[in-house]
Amino acid sequence: MSTIEPLGDPTDVVRALAERAREASHELALATRATKDAALHAMADALLARGGELLAANAEDVARADAAGTPPNVVDRLRLTGERLAAMAQGLRDVAGLPDPVGEVVRGSTLANGLELRQVRVPFGVVGMIYEARPNVTADAAGICLKSGNAVLLRGSSSAASSNAAIVAVLRDAVTGAGLPGDVVQLVPAGTRETVSALMRARGLVDVLIPRGGAGLIQSVVEGSTVPVIETGVGNCHVYVDAAADLDRALAIVLNAKTHRTSVCNSAESLLVHADLVDTFLPTVVAALQDAGVTVHGDETVARLPGVEPATDDDHAREYLSMDISAAVVPDVDGAVSHIRRFSSGHTEAILTRDQDAARRFVAAVDSAAVLVNASTRFTDGGEFGFGAEIGISTQKLHARGPMGLPEMTSTKYVVTGEGHVR
């Protein structure tokens, strides 16, 4: 039975998929690393070998999005290219090359009574993913979940329905060919929102739910789910240029952080500049951003420059995901930290400075999932961190925070070994 065909009542559909995932997860939990890695390489090979049909399916989604007047930044996230398919395949190969987290001993000791105690990593079991128009997430999530021993239920958006259906079909064929049950990767129908609600209520069948998308999606899942949620977050990422920054490097970093790819959550959305640089660096960086096509929304000081639009509090708090950036002048490091505490989404913040004391103070005071020193916010990424693909970037503080790779997709259990011990 296909996992991409509507099967009737949404609750029954999701329950049936989850039950099959649960059965498949039992077999996957016993699979060796060699078997899982072979499946990952088969998945990567299949994405490339069947790239033509995947791009054709994606073209259907892109055409519908364009016809509906979808914003360009959203269409960019939706679009697949040969290069992006190759990156998806490489992400799966990278995951295959990483150590298997399952069975890793987190800590262990021999107790005073002679009992041997070990805390080891184990799969969650069944992971549910609810995400918006990014087909690459389909492959990334499938690969990470498989390597960490989890079956995955993928509920993408209706805007990417053709792409996701094609990708899942390809991945399931590859997994089955590698000797694992195809039901470790399943697609939840996206034709009705009721399947999202059903997935959120599948407590006992789904072990953990991960929403990945805009603030509205994440909030609705966090507030409405009875299944435990690992919360990913939006990215109002800040770059603070300190008085002691190398200004040539700072200019290059700001431009990269903002313009390299605007539709992703690690793109810079807010620029903070030290007051000592108002007459030197500030006009230069604003002009450079404008020359690159960026609209700058500035506070009272920044708005004095030509072409800058006055910024409101909403502008400073916004995740633009477009060629826009908010900008403000701050008196010092503490002023930058204060601004970030007020407006940040807790994703990524960067300080550009040659002053080690300023860097240490910023790193200690800023409470975000990632804090960078003299580097672009674009590096907050599972692949860039060496995790292979990522399941998402968590902005919560429980269990997992920042880019989530293989260890974050496991729980632990205690294994206690004795020799006839009784209490």
Side-chain angles (χ1 to χ4, degrees):
M1 179 166 36
S2 170
T3 63
I4 63 175
E5 297 174 357
L7 303 177
D9 178 81
T11 300
D12 292 340
V13 170
V14 171
R15 186 172 187 85
L17 296 178
E19 288 174 347
R20 289 158 53 187
R22 176 68 64 194
E23 286 299 314
S25 73
H26 295 158
E27 184 173 340
L28 182 60
L30 299 176
T32 64
R33 174 181 176 176
T35 298
K36 292 188 288 187
D37 289 351
L40 288 165
H41 283 292
M43 292 159 69
D45 291 342
L47 288 178
L48 299 180
R50 298 170 64 178
E53 64 187 86
L54 298 182
L55 294 178
N58 179 250
E60 297 175 8
D61 290 329
V62 171
R64 284 195 298 269
D66 285 335
T70 304
N73 62 305
V74 178
V75 176
D76 177 65
R77 282 182 286 176
L78 174 63
R79 180 177 287 109
L80 289 178
T81 63
E83 182 179 2
R84 290 182 182 180
L85 276 179
M88 288 162 58
Q90 187 57 49
L92 293 171
R93 298 191 198 284
D94 291 343
V95 171
L98 294 172
D100 189 341
V102 178
E104 176 190 351
V105 178
V106 178
R107 58 181 173 178
S109 63
T110 300
L111 304 180
N113 61 7
L115 285 174
E116 293 182 358
L117 178 69
R118 290 179 295 136
Q119 184 184 19
V120 299
R121 292 197 182 278
V122 295
F124 286 124
V126 178
V127 174
M129 281 286 298
I130 300 174
Y131 55 105
E132 293 177 337
R134 294 186 65 175
N136 64 294
V137 173
T138 304
D140 291 350
I144 288 178
C145 285
L146 188 146
K147 180 69 178 254
S148 56
N150 298 291
V152 64
L153 298 174
L154 299 160
R155 205 294 188 178
S157 62
S158 57
S159 60
S162 297
S163 304
N164 289 337
I167 292 170
V168 169
V170 168
L171 296 180
R172 283 173 58 87
D173 287 347
V175 167
T176 303
L180 290 173
D183 286 341
V184 298
V185 181
Q186 297 185 78
L187 188 68
V188 176
T192 171
R193 292 188 178 183
E194 292 180 18
T195 55
V196 173
S197 298
L199 195 55
M200 289 162 55
R201 294 193 303 268
R203 189 178 182 92
L205 288 173
V206 177
D207 295 291
V208 66
L209 202 55
I210 302 173
R212 182 169 172 177
L217 167 68
I218 294 166
Q219 183 176 4
S220 66
V221 173
V222 170
E223 293 180 352
S225 180
T226 62
V227 176
V229 176
I230 298 179
E231 182 178 352
T232 62
V234 297
N236 180 16
C237 303
H238 294 73
V239 178
Y240 165 57
V241 183
D242 186 53
D246 180 318
L247 298 185
D248 289 337
R249 288 183 176 179
L251 182 61
I253 290 171
V254 170
L255 288 172
N256 177 264
K258 176 66 259 182
T259 67
H260 182 252
R261 191 177 178 195
T262 60
S263 65
V264 290
C265 61
N266 59 17
S267 172
E269 307 288 26
S270 300
L271 171 66
L272 303 176
V273 177
H274 193 286
D276 289 355
L277 303 178
V278 166
D279 296 326
T280 53
F281 181 75
L282 182 63
T284 300
V285 70
V286 167
L289 286 165
Q290 291 171 334
D291 288 345
V294 178
T295 299
V296 179
H297 306 261
D299 67 0
E300 291 183 1
T301 303
V302 182
R304 296 172 190 162
L305 296 171
V308 175
E309 297 186 0
T312 64
D313 282 354
D314 286 343
D315 291 323
H316 289 302
R318 184 176 174 186
E319 182 189 38
Y320 291 99
L321 299 176
S322 63
M323 291 290 275
D324 294 84
I325 194 169
S326 69
V329 172
V330 294
D332 50 26
V333 172
D334 290 339
V337 170
S338 178
H339 183 102
I340 289 169
R341 285 175 177 169
R342 182 179 179 190
F343 295 110
S344 173
S345 61
H347 190 294
T348 298
E349 327 300 344
I351 180 173
L352 313 183
T353 186
R354 291 173 292 187
D355 183 337
Q356 292 302 309
D357 288 337
R360 281 192 290 268
R361 187 172 184 85
F362 185 87
V363 168
V366 166
D367 185 20
S368 292
V371 183
L372 289 82
V373 179
N374 295 323
S376 170
T377 59
R378 289 285 287 122
F379 284 106
T380 303
D381 174 84
E384 295 295 330
F385 279 14
F387 301 164
E390 70 182 23
I391 202 88
I393 297 177
S394 170
T395 55
Q396 67 176 24
K397 298 185 182 181
L398 299 178
H399 170 65
R401 196 178 192 196
M404 292 185 289
L406 295 172
E408 288 74 25
M409 297 310 297
T410 63
S411 182
T412 64
K413 69 180 175 186
Y414 287 95
V415 179
V416 183
T417 304
E419 295 181 359
H421 285 68
V422 294
R423 180 176 176 180

